[in-house]
Amino acid sequence: MNNQTFKTYPFKKSTLKKSALLLAVSVALTSGGAMAKASADDAAKLGNELTPMGAVKAANKDGSIPAWTGGITKAPAGYTVGDHHLDPYPNDKIKYSITAKNVADYKSLLTPGQVKLFETYPDTFKMDVYQTRRSASFPKHVYKAIKVNATRAELIQDGNGIKNTAVGIPFPIPANGLEAIWNHIVRYRGEQLTRQGGQAAPTASGDYTYVGFEEELLLPYDVEGTTPAELEKTNILFKFKQKVTEPARLAGTALLVHETMDQIKTPRQAWTYNTGQRRVRRAPNVAYDAPGSASDGLRLTDDFDMYNGAPNRYNWTLKGKQELLIPYNDYRLHSDKVKYADIIQPGHINPDLVRYEKHRVWVVEANLKDNTRHTYKKRVFYIDEDSWQVAISDIYDNRDELYRVAVAHGLNYYEVPTQWSTLEVYHDFQSRRYIVMGLDNESKMYDFSAKLEDDDFTPSALRREGRR
C-alpha cells in the first residue's frame, strides 16, 4: 500500500480507548464478522463530535483540513435551478502543484493508483491542490434519519443486503468494510432525477466518439418519510433506466435495472432493449465483471458509480482513515462554459480543469474470495468521510499488479442538496487508455424535481423508450 499510514480520529479524549478498540475490531472484521449496531451513546455523537454523516467534525492537527461547519447551505448568487452549478469558490488560488518531478514529496497523501498516473504520464499529468472546503451537505431530514438508522440498521446474510434502515446511509459509525461500502451504495442522491450526458473512451492519440445517454433514477429508499417496513415489502433500493441517444449505430439501445435491498431474497433484476431485435430481454449478466455499456472494455458493470451491486464476491476489510488528496468541488470541470473537447486529452483528462483538496477518507479493501471469479482480484476504495462518495478506487488484477485506477470528481448539487460526482474517470494502465463518464457540459443539467412513477420502470416502458 505504498507505505501509507492509516490514521484514526478519536471522538474525544474520554472515548479514545473505546474508539481505538472499535478500530481494532473493525480492521479484523471481514464479511464473515459480526454485524453490530451502533450503541445509543455512539449515535449521540452524530451532530456533536461527529458530523451527522459520521465524519470527524473537528479540524485535523495542522488545520489543513478545517472543521466541518455545515457545508454548503445555499447556492451562490446568480445560480438558478436548472443551471450548471456555479463555482462557490471562484477566488480560490492554487496552493501548490504536484508533477512527476516532485511527486515523491507527496506520496503519503496519494494512493498507489494516483502515483502510477504520474509514472505513466510524466510529461503531462499533474495535480493542482487548493485549500480544503468541506462543502458536503444534505437535507436535515436525511441527517435525522441517519441518526435513527445508526442504532437499528443491519446487514443481512454475508452482507448481501441491508434491513431496518431507510433514507440516507445506514451505518454512520461503520464497524467493518461491508458497512462502509453499503454506505457508499445507498448514500443520499435525492429521491428521483432525470439526466442527460454521456461518455467517451479516447484512443491513445485522443480521438474519441461521444456516446450520449438519457437516464432516469427513482430512489424509493430515500423518499422522505419512508419506513424500513415499507421497503421490506417492495425490496427495492432504486430503479434505473438508461437509453443511448447517440451515435446513430447505438441509438435506441436501452437498459432497465431494479436494485434490491435483500439480494438473497431477490437478486438484481435487469432488462435490455436491442434496436436490431426490437425486443426486451432479461439480462442477468448486467452485474459484477460484465463489460460496461459501450465501454470498449475499459469499465466493468460494478465499476459504475465507482462501485455498485452485491458485494458477495469479496472479503471486505476496514483499514482505517487516511488524509488524502482527492478531487473535490470540481465546478470548473462541470461548467457549461467548457466543451467536451476541452476536457478530453490523450492519456488523461485536462489537469488544468481539476481541483484537488486534502480530505480524510475511509480506506476499505476488497479481496476476492477463494473459488470466486472476478476480473479484479483486489480493490481498495478511498471513501470521502463527509459524503460516503468513493473518491478513488485502486484496482489490482490476478497477478497482483495495479491494473486500473478510478477517480470520481465531486461537487455539491445545491438544490437537493447532495454531494455527488460530476465526472468519473477510469484509467487502464495496460492499454494506456481511459473512459470518462458523466460528460454533461453540453447537455441539460440534472432535474432532481422530475416526476417519475414505478410505471416508468417496467419492461414495457423500456420497450417504448427504446423505440422513441
Side-chain angles (χ1 to χ4, degrees):
M1 293 284 301
N2 199 34
N3 296 319
Q4 293 169 338
T5 300
F6 296 107
K7 302 178 181 180
T8 63
Y9 295 87
F11 307 141
K12 57 183 180 180
K13 290 183 179 179
S14 62
T15 58
L16 176 59
K17 185 175 181 180
K18 183 176 181 181
S19 299
L21 177 61
L22 175 62
L23 182 72
V25 173
S26 301
V27 171
L29 284 171
T30 62
S31 60
M35 309 304 177
K37 304 172 188 175
S39 69
D41 286 345
D42 279 341
K45 298 182 178 76
L46 299 170
N48 293 299
E49 299 102 310
L50 303 180
T51 74
M53 301 295 287
V56 175
K57 184 180 285 188
N60 66 346
K61 186 174 181 180
D62 65 7
S64 56
I65 299 175
W68 183 81
T69 57
I72 293 177
T73 56
K74 64 179 182 180
Y79 170 76
T80 301
V81 174
D83 293 346
H84 283 68
H85 300 74
L86 299 176
D87 188 348
Y89 314 116
N91 298 319
D92 285 2
K93 305 298 183 185
I94 298 171
K95 294 180 64 177
Y96 57 91
S97 294
I98 304 174
T99 68
K101 294 181 179 179
N102 65 355
V103 66
D105 298 333
Y106 298 97
K107 279 191 174 181
S108 65
L109 296 173
L110 303 172
T111 78
Q114 289 176 306
V115 173
K116 184 75 171 179
L117 287 170
F118 286 101
E119 295 172 354
T120 307
Y121 308 106
D123 297 326
T124 56
F125 187 73
K126 68 171 182 174
M127 292 172 55
D128 290 334
V129 181
Y130 294 74
Q131 72 180 93
T132 299
R133 301 282 195 171
R134 295 182 69 178
S135 54
S137 63
F138 299 88
K140 290 182 180 179
H141 76 269
V142 173
Y143 293 150
K144 183 178 179 180
I146 289 170
K147 196 163 189 175
V148 176
N149 290 342
T151 58
R152 70 181 182 186
E154 297 179 76
L155 298 173
I156 65 167
Q157 181 182 350
D158 291 327
N160 293 317
I162 51 176
K163 66 178 182 178
N164 299 329
T165 178
V167 187
I169 59 168
F171 309 110
I173 306 174
N176 52 65
L178 271 169
E179 291 185 352
I181 200 64
W182 270 107
N183 282 346
H184 165 78
I185 291 170
V186 300
R187 69 203 187 281
Y188 185 82
R189 289 160 287 177
E191 298 182 5
Q192 53 191 334
L193 69 119
T194 60
R195 63 184 182 185
Q196 299 177 11
Q199 65 185 36
T203 64
S205 65
D207 295 331
Y208 65 91
T209 297
Y210 176 78
V211 180
F213 297 107
E214 290 180 356
E215 298 175 338
E216 297 177 349
L217 181 62
L218 186 66
L219 297 140
Y221 173 86
D222 279 315
V223 172
E224 183 175 0
T226 197
T227 66
E230 292 169 337
L231 292 169
E232 187 174 351
K233 289 179 182 178
T234 64
N235 197 31
I236 293 293
L237 274 176
F238 65 77
K239 296 181 179 181
F240 173 75
K241 186 169 64 179
Q242 179 190 75
K243 182 179 77 172
V244 180
T245 57
E246 56 179 302
R249 61 184 173 82
L250 298 175
T253 302
L255 169 69
L256 173 66
V257 173
H258 290 184
E259 191 75 311
T260 56
M261 288 188 67
D262 183 341
Q263 301 193 10
I264 298 297
K265 181 193 295 185
T266 307
R268 168 185 287 175
Q269 301 174 74
W271 299 261
T272 58
Y273 176 80
N274 184 287
T275 54
Q277 299 174 341
R278 292 187 173 274
R279 62 185 298 185
V280 172
R281 290 182 178 273
R282 289 295 296 265
N285 61 330
V286 179
Y288 302 113
D289 57 353
S293 302
S295 66
D296 274 8
L298 296 172
R299 176 187 67 80
L300 305 182
T301 295
D302 64 7
D303 282 321
F304 186 80
D305 195 34
M306 300 299 283
Y307 184 81
N308 73 90
N312 61 325
R313 294 195 178 182
Y314 290 95
N315 291 315
W316 299 81
T317 306
L318 188 64
K319 306 292 286 187
K321 276 191 181 179
Q322 179 185 349
E323 294 181 3
L324 200 69
L325 295 173
I326 60 176
Y328 223 91
N329 295 306
D330 261 327
Y331 292 92
R332 189 162 55 250
L333 194 60
H334 170 83
S335 172
D336 59 355
K337 305 298 189 293
V338 171
K339 302 297 183 183
Y340 302 146
D342 299 325
I343 296 172
I344 300 169
Q345 296 187 346
H348 50 78
I349 64 171
N350 186 349
D352 291 329
L353 298 175
V354 181
R355 172 180 177 134
Y356 288 88
E357 299 178 5
K358 184 194 292 187
H359 286 262
R360 287 182 289 243
V361 299
W362 288 100
V363 182
V364 177
E365 185 173 299
N367 287 280
L368 190 64
K369 292 180 178 179
D370 293 338
N371 302 315
T372 303
R373 183 192 61 78
H374 197 288
T375 302
Y376 302 154
K377 183 178 180 181
K378 183 175 79 170
R379 306 157 95 153
V380 184
F381 297 95
Y382 302 86
I383 308 175
D384 171 38
E385 71 166 345
D386 286 333
S387 65
W388 292 98
Q389 164 78 52
V390 172
I392 309 284
S393 173
D394 284 347
I395 301 166
Y396 296 80
D397 62 19
N398 287 304
R399 299 170 298 174
D400 295 315
E401 294 182 0
L402 193 58
Y403 177 21
R404 292 175 172 169
V405 61
V407 183
H409 298 266
L411 53 79
N412 187 288
Y413 292 84
Y414 314 126
E415 68 271 40
V416 185
T418 184
Q419 188 84 8
W420 195 4
S421 61
T422 180
L423 206 67
E424 295 173 6
V425 186
Y426 304 82
H427 295 271
D428 185 301
F429 293 118
Q430 293 179 5
S431 66
R432 293 176 65 93
R433 292 183 63 197
Y434 68 96
I435 183 169
V436 55
M437 300 181 60
L439 292 163
D440 59 12
N441 310 74
E442 301 175 36
S443 301
K444 292 181 180 178
M445 188 31 49
Y446 294 12
D447 181 2
F448 290 95
S449 64
K451 302 300 181 184
L452 302 174
E453 305 289 343
D454 285 325
D455 288 346
D456 297 318
F457 296 87
T458 63
S460 58
L462 184 69
R463 185 179 296 108
R464 292 192 301 271
E465 193 73 36
R467 287 175 176 171
R468 277 190 242 168

